[in-house]
Amino acid sequence: KLGDLSNFTTIAQDMLNFVIANNMSGANTSANDLEYQWDNAEARLKPKDPAKWTQVDGAIDKVLREVRAVNPNKQTAKNALENLLNVLNSQ
């Protein structure tokens, strides 16, 4: 399908670890890396499987919204990251 997404899985797992440790600043910093890496990979990944790419993109967008919220909620950020990891690992 999309190929090797291990880089994104690693970033998402790191973000989840930050959220679990209640380090939202660290999670936010990793969110910037995730967004940058994903945006740079779009031209390479999207043509391989547009539907799967859209599914992952939506899960990433949810993570970015939750982690970057003015008052982030640890549980909703954790849920969004767990969902993203499931999506990444399901392909």
Side-chain angles (χ1 to χ4, degrees):
K1 295 180 182 181
L2 294 179
D4 181 14
L5 300 179
S6 61
N7 182 45
F8 304 108
T9 302
T10 299
I11 296 169
Q13 185 62 57
D14 289 345
M15 289 176 70
L16 179 58
N17 293 341
F18 281 128
V19 169
I20 290 169
N22 209 29
N23 181 349
M24 297 309 285
S25 175
N28 197 5
T29 298
S30 292
N32 296 336
D33 189 33
L34 177 64
E35 182 177 37
Y36 177 79
Q37 296 293 330
W38 183 248
D39 287 348
N40 280 339
E42 179 179 358
R44 176 176 47 87
L45 297 177
K46 192 173 184 179
K48 291 181 179 182
D49 187 336
K52 184 64 177 180
W53 182 90
T54 300
Q55 182 185 17
V56 176
D57 190 60
I60 288 175
D61 287 346
K62 175 75 172 161
V63 165
L64 298 178
R65 278 192 307 276
E66 293 299 335
V67 170
R68 292 175 173 165
V70 174
N71 295 305
N73 179 292
K74 180 180 173 179
Q75 188 59 51
T76 57
K78 181 178 178 281
N79 292 346
L81 282 157
E82 288 171 343
N83 179 62
L84 172 58
L85 285 165
N86 286 335
V87 170
L88 288 170
N89 291 323
S90 72
Q91 77 88 38

